C-alpha cells in the first residue's frame, strides 16, 4: 500500500465512530482530507451530520464534498473531532501544526467531547520532537518573542534552530488567523507538559503545536493494518 492509501484506511476506520446527528470537528491535512471526502460520501447516502472546519482549506474541501458546516459561535460543543498529527507518543500527546492550522485545530479539539487522531504509523514516536514544533506568533515584536521562546527551551534543557516558516514564494507563511509560525527543531522534548506550560504565557505567542490531553484515541495505519491506541 502507498502512504496515501494507508491514510485513507485510517480515515475510513475513524468514520465508523460517526453517528447520525453528530456535530463534528473536521481536521486539516492530507489524512484529514481523506476523512472529509469519505464523510461526504456518507452524507450523500443520507447521513445527517454538521461540521466545523479547522482551516479555510478544510472548509473548501467540505463544501466540495457536500458536508454541511457551522461554527463554534452557532453551537457550543462538538461530539467528535477527527484530525491528523505530525507526531504521536504513547500518552497520545501530539505535535500538530505542520499544515499551519494549529490554532483553529486546538480550539476545535478543546471544544470536542472526543478527538480521534488518524495517521500512518510513521507518526508514532517514543519521544516528541523529531518533527519541528510549530509556535504561532504575532509578527509585532518578533525578536522579543523569539528570545522568550528560546528562554523557555533553555529552561527545559532544549536547544535547536528556531526559524520563521516560509511559503512557496519565500515570504513568511501567514496562517488563517494572520499570524506567523516559528518552527523549532528540538530533536527530543523530554518534558512535554513543562514546555507547554512555559510557552503558554509568553506575550506574542498565540499558540503552540503541543496537544496534551486532547486526543482520546489514535488510529495508525501500517503495512499490517490499523492499530488503535487509547489514552491511558
Amino acid at each position: 500500500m502507498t502512504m496515501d492509501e494507508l491514510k485513507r484506511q485510517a480515515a475510513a476506520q475513524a468514520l465508523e465512530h460517526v453517528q447520525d446527528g453528530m456535530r463534528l470537528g473536521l481536521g486539516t491535512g492530507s489524512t484529514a482530507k481523506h476523512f472529509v471526502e469519505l464523510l461526504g460520501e456518507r452524507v450523500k447516502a443520507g447521513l445527517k451530520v454538521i461540521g466545523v472546519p479547522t482551516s479555510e482549506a478544510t472548509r473548501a474541501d467540505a463544501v466540495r464534498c457536500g458536508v454541511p458546516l457551522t461554527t463554534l459561535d452557532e453551537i457550543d460543543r462538538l461530539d467528535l473531532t477527527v484530525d491528523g498529527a505530525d507526531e504521536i507518543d504513547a500518552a497520545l500527546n501530539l505535535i500538530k501544526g505542520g499544515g499551519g492550522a494549529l490554532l483553529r485545530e486546538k480550539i476545535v479539539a478543546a471544544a470536542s467531547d472526543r478527538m480521534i487522531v488518524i495517521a500512518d504509523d510513521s507518526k508514532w514516536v517514543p519521544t516528541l520532537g523529531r518533527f519541528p514544533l510549530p509556535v504561532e506568533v504575532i509578527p509585532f515584536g518578533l525578536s522579543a518573542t523569539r528570545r522568550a521562546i528560546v528562554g523557555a527551551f533553555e529552561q527545559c534543557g532544549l536547544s535547536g534552530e528556531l526559524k520563521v516558516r516560509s511559503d512557496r514564494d519565500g515570504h513568511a507563511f501567514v496562517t488563517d488567523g494572520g499570524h506567523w509560525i516559528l518552527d523549532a527543531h528540538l530533536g527530543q522534548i523530554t518534558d512535554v507538559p513543562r514546555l507547554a506550560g512555559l510557552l503558554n504565557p509568553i506575550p506574542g505567542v498565540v499558540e503552540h503545536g503541543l496537544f496534551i490531553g486532547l486526543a482520546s484515541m489514535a488510529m495508525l495505519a501500517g503495512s499490517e493494518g490499523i492499530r488503535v491506541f487509547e489514552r491511558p
Side-chain angles (χ1 to χ4, degrees), residues 73-166:
D73 295 317
E74 297 171 336
I75 57 174
D76 61 353
R77 198 72 195 161
L78 299 172
D79 299 296
L80 172 67
T81 285
V82 178
D83 204 347
D86 298 301
E87 283 191 340
I88 310 165
D89 71 11
L92 297 196
N93 295 319
L94 316 171
I95 286 182
K96 288 180 54 56
L102 62 153
L103 174 60
R104 294 188 186 184
E105 287 173 335
K106 192 173 283 189
I107 290 171
V108 169
S112 302
D113 293 337
R114 289 190 301 146
M115 179 187 187
I116 295 177
V117 177
I118 52 176
D120 64 85
D121 60 8
S122 70
K123 303 300 192 296
W124 185 261
V125 296
T127 306
L128 297 182
R130 181 182 62 193
F131 189 90
L133 173 65
V135 183
E136 189 163 344
V137 297
I138 295 171
F140 176 83
L142 182 61
S143 293
T145 303
R146 184 197 291 266
R147 285 193 295 272
I149 292 170
V150 171
F153 293 160
E154 291 174 347
Q155 288 185 62
C156 293
L158 301 169
S159 63
E161 184 181 28
L162 183 64
K163 59 187 295 187
V164 175
R165 185 180 298 182
S166 299

Side-chain angles (χ1 to χ4, degrees), residues 3-13 31 33-35 37-38 41:
M3 191 69 72
D4 205 50
E5 289 170 335
L6 291 174
K7 291 176 179 180
R8 197 168 186 88
Q9 193 177 69
Q13 183 146 336
T31 310
K33 183 173 183 176
H34 284 299
F35 177 78
E37 291 174 349
L38 293 171
E41 293 176 6

Side-chain angles (χ1 to χ4, degrees), residues 5 16-18 21 32 40 55 76 107 112 131 136 141 150 164 170 186 191 196-197 205 212-214 217:
E5 289 170 335
E16 296 177 9
H17 290 257
V18 175
S55 66
D76 61 353
I107 290 171
S112 302
F131 189 90
E136 189 163 344
V150 171
V164 175
L186 300 174
D191 192 338
V205 170
I212 302 170
L214 290 172
M217 182 181 293

